[in-house]
Amino acid sequence: QVQLVESGGGLVQPGGSLRLSCAASVSISTINVMGWYRQAPGKQRELVAVISSGGTTNYADSVKGRFTISRDNAKNTVYLQMNSLKPEDTAVYYCKAKRLLLGSLYDYWGPGTQVTVSS
């Protein structure tokens, strides 16, 4: 079982920055992929950014060049640095871990953290 807890959300003005953190209850070196997803009101949850255990990253086109995902294995934490925030970035942001265990893939989700971009 993997427990994830997000933090760092809040209210920010357009053009501002926030850094989200996702702390895992296990060593993230044992987790194959960790990622950030978001869900805006009335919309489906969508991928924002993912990072593999080897450090390979992938981003949604809408955040490329503005958001950066990183991981600190010593702290069992994954970060999402968000710069040049736009009102359309407003959403609940969720951390997800995908773990291969005994031949099966398991997904784990955090409870989410609210990000609101507004003047």
PDB file of all heavy atoms in Angstrom, residues 6-47:
ATOM      1  N   GLU A   6      -0.580  15.356  -0.859  1.00  0.00           N
ATOM      2  CA  GLU A   6      -0.180  16.550  -1.585  1.00  0.00           C
ATOM      3  C   GLU A   6      -0.225  17.770  -0.668  1.00  0.00           C
ATOM      4  O   GLU A   6      -1.002  17.824   0.281  1.00  0.00           O
ATOM      5  CB  GLU A   6      -1.106  16.808  -2.783  1.00  0.00           C
ATOM      6  CG  GLU A   6      -1.227  15.669  -3.767  1.00  0.00           C
ATOM      7  CD  GLU A   6      -2.436  14.803  -3.525  1.00  0.00           C
ATOM      8  OE1 GLU A   6      -2.920  14.790  -2.383  1.00  0.00           O
ATOM      9  OE2 GLU A   6      -2.907  14.135  -4.469  1.00  0.00           O
ATOM     10  N   SER A   7       0.590  18.748  -0.999  1.00  0.00           N
ATOM     11  CA  SER A   7       0.566  20.028  -0.299  1.00  0.00           C
ATOM     12  C   SER A   7       1.082  21.110  -1.233  1.00  0.00           C
ATOM     13  O   SER A   7       1.666  20.806  -2.281  1.00  0.00           O
ATOM     14  CB  SER A   7       1.417  19.973   0.976  1.00  0.00           C
ATOM     15  OG  SER A   7       2.771  19.700   0.662  1.00  0.00           O
ATOM     16  N   GLY A   8       0.858  22.366  -0.846  1.00  0.00           N
ATOM     17  CA  GLY A   8       1.398  23.478  -1.610  1.00  0.00           C
ATOM     18  C   GLY A   8       0.394  24.228  -2.461  1.00  0.00           C
ATOM     19  O   GLY A   8       0.738  25.229  -3.092  1.00  0.00           O
ATOM     20  N   GLY A   9      -0.844  23.747  -2.496  1.00  0.00           N
ATOM     21  CA  GLY A   9      -1.854  24.452  -3.271  1.00  0.00           C
ATOM     22  C   GLY A   9      -2.253  25.758  -2.615  1.00  0.00           C
ATOM     23  O   GLY A   9      -1.857  26.062  -1.484  1.00  0.00           O
ATOM     24  N   GLY A  10      -3.054  26.535  -3.345  1.00  0.00           N
ATOM     25  CA  GLY A  10      -3.516  27.797  -2.792  1.00  0.00           C
ATOM     26  C   GLY A  10      -4.021  28.724  -3.871  1.00  0.00           C
ATOM     27  O   GLY A  10      -4.241  28.316  -5.017  1.00  0.00           O
ATOM     28  N   LEU A  11      -4.180  29.981  -3.490  1.00  0.00           N
ATOM     29  CA  LEU A  11      -4.655  31.021  -4.394  1.00  0.00           C
ATOM     30  C   LEU A  11      -3.448  31.841  -4.863  1.00  0.00           C
ATOM     31  O   LEU A  11      -2.639  32.291  -4.042  1.00  0.00           O
ATOM     32  CB  LEU A  11      -5.656  31.923  -3.685  1.00  0.00           C
ATOM     33  CG  LEU A  11      -6.136  33.168  -4.431  1.00  0.00           C
ATOM     34  CD1 LEU A  11      -6.919  32.769  -5.684  1.00  0.00           C
ATOM     35  CD2 LEU A  11      -6.983  34.038  -3.510  1.00  0.00           C
ATOM     36  N   VAL A  12      -3.350  32.035  -6.171  1.00  0.00           N
ATOM     37  CA  VAL A  12      -2.240  32.801  -6.732  1.00  0.00           C
ATOM     38  C   VAL A  12      -2.767  33.647  -7.888  1.00  0.00           C
ATOM     39  O   VAL A  12      -3.728  33.264  -8.566  1.00  0.00           O
ATOM     40  CB  VAL A  12      -1.108  31.857  -7.193  1.00  0.00           C
ATOM     41  CG1 VAL A  12      -1.577  30.932  -8.317  1.00  0.00           C
ATOM     42  CG2 VAL A  12       0.134  32.616  -7.595  1.00  0.00           C
ATOM     43  N   GLN A  13      -2.135  34.778  -8.118  1.00  0.00           N
ATOM     44  CA  GLN A  13      -2.538  35.645  -9.218  1.00  0.00           C
ATOM     45  C   GLN A  13      -1.997  35.124 -10.544  1.00  0.00           C
ATOM     46  O   GLN A  13      -0.969  34.432 -10.570  1.00  0.00           O
ATOM     47  CB  GLN A  13      -2.032  37.060  -8.968  1.00  0.00           C
ATOM     48  CG  GLN A  13      -2.705  37.765  -7.811  1.00  0.00           C
ATOM     49  CD  GLN A  13      -2.279  39.221  -7.694  1.00  0.00           C
ATOM     50  OE1 GLN A  13      -1.258  39.627  -8.239  1.00  0.00           O
ATOM     51  NE2 GLN A  13      -3.079  40.007  -6.995  1.00  0.00           N
ATOM     52  N   PRO A  14      -2.650  35.455 -11.636  1.00  0.00           N
ATOM     53  CA  PRO A  14      -2.105  35.071 -12.952  1.00  0.00           C
ATOM     54  C   PRO A  14      -0.669  35.557 -13.114  1.00  0.00           C
ATOM     55  O   PRO A  14      -0.340  36.684 -12.725  1.00  0.00           O
ATOM     56  CB  PRO A  14      -3.051  35.772 -13.932  1.00  0.00           C
ATOM     57  CG  PRO A  14      -4.332  35.884 -13.178  1.00  0.00           C
ATOM     58  CD  PRO A  14      -3.946  36.137 -11.750  1.00  0.00           C
ATOM     59  N   GLY A  15       0.160  34.676 -13.669  1.00  0.00           N
ATOM     60  CA  GLY A  15       1.572  34.975 -13.817  1.00  0.00           C
ATOM     61  C   GLY A  15       2.422  34.555 -12.632  1.00  0.00           C
ATOM     62  O   GLY A  15       3.654  34.580 -12.711  1.00  0.00           O
ATOM     63  N   GLY A  16       1.777  34.153 -11.560  1.00  0.00           N
ATOM     64  CA  GLY A  16       2.496  33.748 -10.350  1.00  0.00           C
ATOM     65  C   GLY A  16       2.983  32.317 -10.409  1.00  0.00           C
ATOM     66  O   GLY A  16       2.826  31.619 -11.420  1.00  0.00           O
ATOM     67  N   SER A  17       3.556  31.879  -9.287  1.00  0.00           N
ATOM     68  CA  SER A  17       4.144  30.542  -9.198  1.00  0.00           C
ATOM     69  C   SER A  17       3.685  29.834  -7.932  1.00  0.00           C
ATOM     70  O   SER A  17       3.371  30.478  -6.921  1.00  0.00           O
ATOM     71  CB  SER A  17       5.671  30.620  -9.187  1.00  0.00           C
ATOM     72  OG  SER A  17       6.177  31.198 -10.370  1.00  0.00           O
ATOM     73  N   LEU A  18       3.664  28.516  -8.027  1.00  0.00           N
ATOM     74  CA  LEU A  18       3.418  27.657  -6.864  1.00  0.00           C
ATOM     75  C   LEU A  18       4.268  26.408  -7.028  1.00  0.00           C
ATOM     76  O   LEU A  18       4.556  25.992  -8.163  1.00  0.00           O
ATOM     77  CB  LEU A  18       1.941  27.239  -6.776  1.00  0.00           C
ATOM     78  CG  LEU A  18       0.911  28.210  -6.218  1.00  0.00           C
ATOM     79  CD1 LEU A  18      -0.484  27.596  -6.335  1.00  0.00           C
ATOM     80  CD2 LEU A  18       1.208  28.574  -4.774  1.00  0.00           C
ATOM     81  N   ARG A  19       4.624  25.804  -5.906  1.00  0.00           N
ATOM     82  CA  ARG A  19       5.285  24.501  -5.945  1.00  0.00           C
ATOM     83  C   ARG A  19       4.463  23.511  -5.136  1.00  0.00           C
ATOM     84  O   ARG A  19       4.259  23.695  -3.935  1.00  0.00           O
ATOM     85  CB  ARG A  19       6.709  24.560  -5.404  1.00  0.00           C
ATOM     86  CG  ARG A  19       7.445  23.236  -5.643  1.00  0.00           C
ATOM     87  CD  ARG A  19       8.887  23.267  -5.185  1.00  0.00           C
ATOM     88  NE  ARG A  19       9.018  23.067  -3.746  1.00  0.00           N
ATOM     89  CZ  ARG A  19      10.112  22.604  -3.176  1.00  0.00           C
ATOM     90  NH1 ARG A  19      11.173  22.286  -3.903  1.00  0.00           N
ATOM     91  NH2 ARG A  19      10.167  22.475  -1.856  1.00  0.00           N
ATOM     92  N   LEU A  20       4.009  22.476  -5.813  1.00  0.00           N
ATOM     93  CA  LEU A  20       3.275  21.403  -5.154  1.00  0.00           C
ATOM     94  C   LEU A  20       4.243  20.303  -4.738  1.00  0.00           C
ATOM     95  O   LEU A  20       5.225  20.041  -5.437  1.00  0.00           O
ATOM     96  CB  LEU A  20       2.216  20.821  -6.090  1.00  0.00           C
ATOM     97  CG  LEU A  20       1.204  21.801  -6.679  1.00  0.00           C
ATOM     98  CD1 LEU A  20       0.180  21.035  -7.521  1.00  0.00           C
ATOM     99  CD2 LEU A  20       0.528  22.613  -5.618  1.00  0.00           C
ATOM    100  N   SER A  21       3.926  19.675  -3.610  1.00  0.00           N
ATOM    101  CA  SER A  21       4.714  18.545  -3.125  1.00  0.00           C
ATOM    102  C   SER A  21       3.815  17.336  -2.945  1.00  0.00           C
ATOM    103  O   SER A  21       2.649  17.480  -2.578  1.00  0.00           O
ATOM    104  CB  SER A  21       5.375  18.879  -1.782  1.00  0.00           C
ATOM    105  OG  SER A  21       6.247  19.977  -1.898  1.00  0.00           O
ATOM    106  N   CYS A  22       4.365  16.178  -3.187  1.00  0.00           N
ATOM    107  CA  CYS A  22       3.648  14.916  -2.976  1.00  0.00           C
ATOM    108  C   CYS A  22       4.570  14.002  -2.175  1.00  0.00           C
ATOM    109  O   CYS A  22       5.587  13.532  -2.703  1.00  0.00           O
ATOM    110  CB  CYS A  22       3.280  14.282  -4.304  1.00  0.00           C
ATOM    111  SG  CYS A  22       2.594  12.608  -4.138  1.00  0.00           S
ATOM    112  N   ALA A  23       4.207  13.769  -0.932  1.00  0.00           N
ATOM    113  CA  ALA A  23       5.011  12.917  -0.058  1.00  0.00           C
ATOM    114  C   ALA A  23       4.438  11.504  -0.055  1.00  0.00           C
ATOM    115  O   ALA A  23       3.227  11.319   0.145  1.00  0.00           O
ATOM    116  CB  ALA A  23       5.021  13.486   1.357  1.00  0.00           C
ATOM    117  N   ALA A  24       5.303  10.526  -0.266  1.00  0.00           N
ATOM    118  CA  ALA A  24       4.874   9.125  -0.313  1.00  0.00           C
ATOM    119  C   ALA A  24       5.251   8.409   0.983  1.00  0.00           C
ATOM    120  O   ALA A  24       6.232   8.769   1.638  1.00  0.00           O
ATOM    121  CB  ALA A  24       5.523   8.418  -1.498  1.00  0.00           C
ATOM    122  N   SER A  25       4.461   7.380   1.305  1.00  0.00           N
ATOM    123  CA  SER A  25       4.683   6.631   2.546  1.00  0.00           C
ATOM    124  C   SER A  25       5.732   5.531   2.379  1.00  0.00           C
ATOM    125  O   SER A  25       6.102   4.886   3.352  1.00  0.00           O
ATOM    126  CB  SER A  25       3.368   6.000   3.024  1.00  0.00           C
ATOM    127  OG  SER A  25       2.876   5.095   2.054  1.00  0.00           O
ATOM    128  N   VAL A  26       6.180   5.337   1.132  1.00  0.00           N
ATOM    129  CA  VAL A  26       7.200   4.330   0.861  1.00  0.00           C
ATOM    130  C   VAL A  26       8.329   4.983   0.069  1.00  0.00           C
ATOM    131  O   VAL A  26       8.189   6.115  -0.408  1.00  0.00           O
ATOM    132  CB  VAL A  26       6.627   3.145   0.054  1.00  0.00           C
ATOM    133  CG1 VAL A  26       5.484   2.484   0.809  1.00  0.00           C
ATOM    134  CG2 VAL A  26       6.195   3.571  -1.327  1.00  0.00           C
ATOM    135  N   SER A  27       9.401   4.267  -0.069  1.00  0.00           N
ATOM    136  CA  SER A  27      10.510   4.779  -0.868  1.00  0.00           C
ATOM    137  C   SER A  27      10.059   4.922  -2.319  1.00  0.00           C
ATOM    138  O   SER A  27       9.607   3.954  -2.940  1.00  0.00           O
ATOM    139  CB  SER A  27      11.690   3.819  -0.801  1.00  0.00           C
ATOM    140  OG  SER A  27      12.691   4.193  -1.727  1.00  0.00           O
ATOM    141  N   ILE A  28      10.186   6.129  -2.870  1.00  0.00           N
ATOM    142  CA  ILE A  28       9.712   6.331  -4.245  1.00  0.00           C
ATOM    143  C   ILE A  28      10.639   5.676  -5.259  1.00  0.00           C
ATOM    144  O   ILE A  28      10.300   5.580  -6.437  1.00  0.00           O
ATOM    145  CB  ILE A  28       9.492   7.824  -4.581  1.00  0.00           C
ATOM    146  CG1 ILE A  28      10.800   8.603  -4.490  1.00  0.00           C
ATOM    147  CG2 ILE A  28       8.429   8.413  -3.685  1.00  0.00           C
ATOM    148  CD1 ILE A  28      10.666  10.037  -5.001  1.00  0.00           C
ATOM    149  N   SER A  29      11.792   5.213  -4.812  1.00  0.00           N
ATOM    150  CA  SER A  29      12.657   4.472  -5.730  1.00  0.00           C
ATOM    151  C   SER A  29      12.033   3.130  -6.098  1.00  0.00           C
ATOM    152  O   SER A  29      12.458   2.501  -7.071  1.00  0.00           O
ATOM    153  CB  SER A  29      14.037   4.252  -5.101  1.00  0.00           C
ATOM    154  OG  SER A  29      13.934   3.486  -3.924  1.00  0.00           O
ATOM    155  N   THR A  30      11.023   2.694  -5.338  1.00  0.00           N
ATOM    156  CA  THR A  30      10.312   1.448  -5.633  1.00  0.00           C
ATOM    157  C   THR A  30       9.075   1.686  -6.490  1.00  0.00           C
ATOM    158  O   THR A  30       8.372   0.736  -6.850  1.00  0.00           O
ATOM    159  CB  THR A  30       9.879   0.737  -4.344  1.00  0.00           C
ATOM    160  OG1 THR A  30       8.868   1.510  -3.699  1.00  0.00           O
ATOM    161  CG2 THR A  30      11.043   0.546  -3.398  1.00  0.00           C
ATOM    162  N   ILE A  31       8.802   2.930  -6.825  1.00  0.00           N
ATOM    163  CA  ILE A  31       7.621   3.287  -7.613  1.00  0.00           C
ATOM    164  C   ILE A  31       8.059   3.562  -9.046  1.00  0.00           C
ATOM    165  O   ILE A  31       8.970   4.348  -9.279  1.00  0.00           O
ATOM    166  CB  ILE A  31       6.909   4.507  -7.014  1.00  0.00           C
ATOM    167  CG1 ILE A  31       6.415   4.169  -5.606  1.00  0.00           C
ATOM    168  CG2 ILE A  31       5.755   4.938  -7.907  1.00  0.00           C
ATOM    169  CD1 ILE A  31       5.815   5.335  -4.871  1.00  0.00           C
ATOM    170  N   ASN A  32       7.387   2.921 -10.000  1.00  0.00           N
ATOM    171  CA  ASN A  32       7.833   2.998 -11.394  1.00  0.00           C
ATOM    172  C   ASN A  32       7.610   4.381 -12.005  1.00  0.00           C
ATOM    173  O   ASN A  32       8.493   4.919 -12.666  1.00  0.00           O
ATOM    174  CB  ASN A  32       7.121   1.937 -12.219  1.00  0.00           C
ATOM    175  CG  ASN A  32       7.424   0.548 -11.716  1.00  0.00           C
ATOM    176  OD1 ASN A  32       6.864   0.106 -10.712  1.00  0.00           O
ATOM    177  ND2 ASN A  32       8.307  -0.158 -12.387  1.00  0.00           N
ATOM    178  N   VAL A  33       6.407   4.914 -11.785  1.00  0.00           N
ATOM    179  CA  VAL A  33       6.071   6.221 -12.354  1.00  0.00           C
ATOM    180  C   VAL A  33       5.292   7.013 -11.317  1.00  0.00           C
ATOM    181  O   VAL A  33       4.385   6.481 -10.675  1.00  0.00           O
ATOM    182  CB  VAL A  33       5.219   6.087 -13.641  1.00  0.00           C
ATOM    183  CG1 VAL A  33       4.886   7.464 -14.202  1.00  0.00           C
ATOM    184  CG2 VAL A  33       5.933   5.240 -14.674  1.00  0.00           C
ATOM    185  N   MET A  34       5.649   8.282 -11.195  1.00  0.00           N
ATOM    186  CA  MET A  34       4.853   9.183 -10.366  1.00  0.00           C
ATOM    187  C   MET A  34       4.432  10.359 -11.228  1.00  0.00           C
ATOM    188  O   MET A  34       5.166  10.766 -12.139  1.00  0.00           O
ATOM    189  CB  MET A  34       5.641   9.651  -9.154  1.00  0.00           C
ATOM    190  CG  MET A  34       5.939   8.529  -8.183  1.00  0.00           C
ATOM    191  SD  MET A  34       6.380   9.092  -6.537  1.00  0.00           S
ATOM    192  CE  MET A  34       4.817   9.747  -5.951  1.00  0.00           C
ATOM    193  N   GLY A  35       3.238  10.869 -10.932  1.00  0.00           N
ATOM    194  CA  GLY A  35       2.753  11.935 -11.785  1.00  0.00           C
ATOM    195  C   GLY A  35       1.785  12.860 -11.090  1.00  0.00           C
ATOM    196  O   GLY A  35       1.333  12.599  -9.974  1.00  0.00           O
ATOM    197  N   TRP A  36       1.511  13.938 -11.784  1.00  0.00           N
ATOM    198  CA  TRP A  36       0.521  14.915 -11.351  1.00  0.00           C
ATOM    199  C   TRP A  36      -0.596  14.958 -12.383  1.00  0.00           C
ATOM    200  O   TRP A  36      -0.335  15.001 -13.595  1.00  0.00           O
ATOM    201  CB  TRP A  36       1.158  16.297 -11.214  1.00  0.00           C
ATOM    202  CG  TRP A  36       2.075  16.420 -10.047  1.00  0.00           C
ATOM    203  CD1 TRP A  36       3.430  16.267 -10.039  1.00  0.00           C
ATOM    204  CD2 TRP A  36       1.691  16.722  -8.700  1.00  0.00           C
ATOM    205  NE1 TRP A  36       3.923  16.446  -8.773  1.00  0.00           N
ATOM    206  CE2 TRP A  36       2.877  16.738  -7.926  1.00  0.00           C
ATOM    207  CE3 TRP A  36       0.486  16.995  -8.059  1.00  0.00           C
ATOM    208  CZ2 TRP A  36       2.876  17.004  -6.560  1.00  0.00           C
ATOM    209  CZ3 TRP A  36       0.489  17.260  -6.701  1.00  0.00           C
ATOM    210  CH2 TRP A  36       1.678  17.265  -5.964  1.00  0.00           C
ATOM    211  N   TYR A  37      -1.812  14.964 -11.879  1.00  0.00           N
ATOM    212  CA  TYR A  37      -3.005  15.092 -12.699  1.00  0.00           C
ATOM    213  C   TYR A  37      -3.834  16.227 -12.126  1.00  0.00           C
ATOM    214  O   TYR A  37      -3.630  16.640 -10.981  1.00  0.00           O
ATOM    215  CB  TYR A  37      -3.808  13.779 -12.675  1.00  0.00           C
ATOM    216  CG  TYR A  37      -3.127  12.637 -13.371  1.00  0.00           C
ATOM    217  CD1 TYR A  37      -2.003  12.029 -12.821  1.00  0.00           C
ATOM    218  CD2 TYR A  37      -3.594  12.154 -14.593  1.00  0.00           C
ATOM    219  CE1 TYR A  37      -1.357  10.984 -13.474  1.00  0.00           C
ATOM    220  CE2 TYR A  37      -2.961  11.097 -15.241  1.00  0.00           C
ATOM    221  CZ  TYR A  37      -1.845  10.524 -14.675  1.00  0.00           C
ATOM    222  OH  TYR A  37      -1.216   9.486 -15.328  1.00  0.00           O
ATOM    223  N   ARG A  38      -4.765  16.717 -12.917  1.00  0.00           N
ATOM    224  CA  ARG A  38      -5.635  17.775 -12.410  1.00  0.00           C
ATOM    225  C   ARG A  38      -7.048  17.603 -12.943  1.00  0.00           C
ATOM    226  O   ARG A  38      -7.258  17.005 -14.005  1.00  0.00           O
ATOM    227  CB  ARG A  38      -5.092  19.160 -12.773  1.00  0.00           C
ATOM    228  CG  ARG A  38      -5.102  19.478 -14.256  1.00  0.00           C
ATOM    229  CD  ARG A  38      -4.403  20.808 -14.512  1.00  0.00           C
ATOM    230  NE  ARG A  38      -4.407  21.169 -15.926  1.00  0.00           N
ATOM    231  CZ  ARG A  38      -3.751  22.221 -16.434  1.00  0.00           C
ATOM    232  NH1 ARG A  38      -3.029  22.997 -15.627  1.00  0.00           N
ATOM    233  NH2 ARG A  38      -3.811  22.489 -17.715  1.00  0.00           N
ATOM    234  N   GLN A  39      -7.979  18.129 -12.180  1.00  0.00           N
ATOM    235  CA  GLN A  39      -9.379  18.068 -12.582  1.00  0.00           C
ATOM    236  C   GLN A  39     -10.038  19.392 -12.254  1.00  0.00           C
ATOM    237  O   GLN A  39     -10.119  19.791 -11.090  1.00  0.00           O
ATOM    238  CB  GLN A  39     -10.106  16.924 -11.879  1.00  0.00           C
ATOM    239  CG  GLN A  39     -11.511  16.692 -12.381  1.00  0.00           C
ATOM    240  CD  GLN A  39     -12.079  15.374 -11.907  1.00  0.00           C
ATOM    241  OE1 GLN A  39     -11.612  14.771 -10.954  1.00  0.00           O
ATOM    242  NE2 GLN A  39     -13.130  14.913 -12.588  1.00  0.00           N
ATOM    243  N   ALA A  40     -10.499  20.047 -13.309  1.00  0.00           N
ATOM    244  CA  ALA A  40     -11.222  21.302 -13.158  1.00  0.00           C
ATOM    245  C   ALA A  40     -12.713  20.999 -13.049  1.00  0.00           C
ATOM    246  O   ALA A  40     -13.173  19.938 -13.506  1.00  0.00           O
ATOM    247  CB  ALA A  40     -10.940  22.207 -14.345  1.00  0.00           C
ATOM    248  N   PRO A  41     -13.492  21.920 -12.477  1.00  0.00           N
ATOM    249  CA  PRO A  41     -14.938  21.680 -12.346  1.00  0.00           C
ATOM    250  C   PRO A  41     -15.587  21.382 -13.682  1.00  0.00           C
ATOM    251  O   PRO A  41     -15.374  22.100 -14.666  1.00  0.00           O
ATOM    252  CB  PRO A  41     -15.444  22.999 -11.758  1.00  0.00           C
ATOM    253  CG  PRO A  41     -14.275  23.568 -11.043  1.00  0.00           C
ATOM    254  CD  PRO A  41     -13.077  23.180 -11.855  1.00  0.00           C
ATOM    255  N   GLY A  42     -16.350  20.298 -13.736  1.00  0.00           N
ATOM    256  CA  GLY A  42     -17.055  19.948 -14.951  1.00  0.00           C
ATOM    257  C   GLY A  42     -16.206  19.304 -16.027  1.00  0.00           C
ATOM    258  O   GLY A  42     -16.695  19.041 -17.136  1.00  0.00           O
ATOM    259  N   LYS A  43     -14.950  19.029 -15.721  1.00  0.00           N
ATOM    260  CA  LYS A  43     -14.058  18.430 -16.710  1.00  0.00           C
ATOM    261  C   LYS A  43     -13.488  17.108 -16.196  1.00  0.00           C
ATOM    262  O   LYS A  43     -13.509  16.832 -15.009  1.00  0.00           O
ATOM    263  CB  LYS A  43     -12.912  19.394 -17.050  1.00  0.00           C
ATOM    264  CG  LYS A  43     -13.362  20.663 -17.736  1.00  0.00           C
ATOM    265  CD  LYS A  43     -12.172  21.470 -18.213  1.00  0.00           C
ATOM    266  CE  LYS A  43     -12.609  22.695 -18.971  1.00  0.00           C
ATOM    267  NZ  LYS A  43     -11.447  23.480 -19.472  1.00  0.00           N
ATOM    268  N   GLN A  44     -12.969  16.333 -17.136  1.00  0.00           N
ATOM    269  CA  GLN A  44     -12.339  15.068 -16.758  1.00  0.00           C
ATOM    270  C   GLN A  44     -10.949  15.304 -16.184  1.00  0.00           C
ATOM    271  O   GLN A  44     -10.301  16.315 -16.487  1.00  0.00           O
ATOM    272  CB  GLN A  44     -12.248  14.150 -17.981  1.00  0.00           C
ATOM    273  CG  GLN A  44     -13.586  13.595 -18.447  1.00  0.00           C
ATOM    274  CD  GLN A  44     -13.429  12.531 -19.515  1.00  0.00           C
ATOM    275  OE1 GLN A  44     -12.459  12.532 -20.279  1.00  0.00           O
ATOM    276  NE2 GLN A  44     -14.371  11.603 -19.567  1.00  0.00           N
ATOM    277  N   ARG A  45     -10.508  14.369 -15.388  1.00  0.00           N
ATOM    278  CA  ARG A  45      -9.154  14.443 -14.856  1.00  0.00           C
ATOM    279  C   ARG A  45      -8.172  14.256 -16.018  1.00  0.00           C
ATOM    280  O   ARG A  45      -8.362  13.384 -16.869  1.00  0.00           O
ATOM    281  CB  ARG A  45      -8.940  13.359 -13.797  1.00  0.00           C
ATOM    282  CG  ARG A  45      -7.679  13.528 -12.992  1.00  0.00           C
ATOM    283  CD  ARG A  45      -7.642  12.548 -11.814  1.00  0.00           C
ATOM    284  NE  ARG A  45      -8.737  12.775 -10.874  1.00  0.00           N
ATOM    285  CZ  ARG A  45      -8.827  12.168  -9.698  1.00  0.00           C
ATOM    286  NH1 ARG A  45      -7.895  11.301  -9.315  1.00  0.00           N
ATOM    287  NH2 ARG A  45      -9.859  12.407  -8.904  1.00  0.00           N
ATOM    288  N   GLU A  46      -7.119  15.071 -16.021  1.00  0.00           N
ATOM    289  CA  GLU A  46      -6.156  15.009 -17.100  1.00  0.00           C
ATOM    290  C   GLU A  46      -4.734  14.961 -16.564  1.00  0.00           C
ATOM    291  O   GLU A  46      -4.440  15.470 -15.486  1.00  0.00           O
ATOM    292  CB  GLU A  46      -6.294  16.232 -18.027  1.00  0.00           C
ATOM    293  CG  GLU A  46      -6.013  17.558 -17.351  1.00  0.00           C
ATOM    294  CD  GLU A  46      -6.094  18.735 -18.325  1.00  0.00           C
ATOM    295  OE1 GLU A  46      -6.412  18.534 -19.494  1.00  0.00           O
ATOM    296  OE2 GLU A  46      -5.819  19.869 -17.869  1.00  0.00           O
ATOM    297  N   LEU A  47      -3.869  14.362 -17.370  1.00  0.00           N
ATOM    298  CA  LEU A  47      -2.466  14.280 -17.006  1.00  0.00           C
ATOM    299  C   LEU A  47      -1.812  15.648 -17.132  1.00  0.00           C
ATOM    300  O   LEU A  47      -2.061  16.388 -18.092  1.00  0.00           O
ATOM    301  CB  LEU A  47      -1.757  13.278 -17.920  1.00  0.00           C
ATOM    302  CG  LEU A  47      -0.259  13.041 -17.704  1.00  0.00           C
ATOM    303  CD1 LEU A  47       0.094  11.597 -18.037  1.00  0.00           C
ATOM    304  CD2 LEU A  47       0.575  13.971 -18.542  1.00  0.00           C
TER     305      LEU A  47
END
